[in-house]
Amino acid sequence: MIHLIDNLETNGCKVELKSTINLTKTNMLTKRQEEIIHAAFQKGYYDCPKRITIKKLAKIFDVSQSTMGEILQRGERKIISDHFSR
């Protein structure tokens, strides 16, 4: 990263580094996926029997049922893929 900043400054750019984060496997979900999967977990979507339906989750987040299903499925795939690639 320092090399990038030096290169930009050498080429006349003014650079101000405001923050940094360490990317790890825990950052694998998008913020939206994490928010929705966390809410689904908290509200009992992953319980057996489910305490909330995908329809109700979709309504909470103001998206269609199909969009909610896709967000959950993509996030779940990332989590499962990470688990099995260890």
Side-chain angles (χ1 to χ4, degrees), residues 19-83:
S19 69
T20 63
I21 60 169
N22 289 326
L23 293 178
T24 64
K25 289 189 177 191
T26 59
N27 300 109
M28 72 181 145
L29 297 176
T30 67
K31 191 173 188 174
R32 181 84 164 154
Q33 287 170 335
E34 185 173 356
E35 175 186 22
I36 288 173
I37 290 173
H38 184 256
F41 179 76
Q42 292 292 335
K43 294 182 181 300
Y45 179 76
Y46 296 104
D47 292 354
C48 192
K50 293 182 188 306
R51 291 186 290 123
I52 191 168
T53 64
I54 199 165
K55 183 176 182 176
K56 288 180 182 175
L57 280 171
K59 188 170 184 163
I60 290 169
F61 287 94
D62 195 29
V63 297
S64 70
Q65 288 182 55
S66 61
T67 297
M68 178 57 64
E70 189 174 311
I71 292 168
L72 289 170
Q73 188 175 26
R74 286 182 181 193
E76 291 161 3
R77 178 169 174 70
K78 288 179 182 179
I79 292 166
I80 293 166
S81 176
D82 177 62
H83 176 79

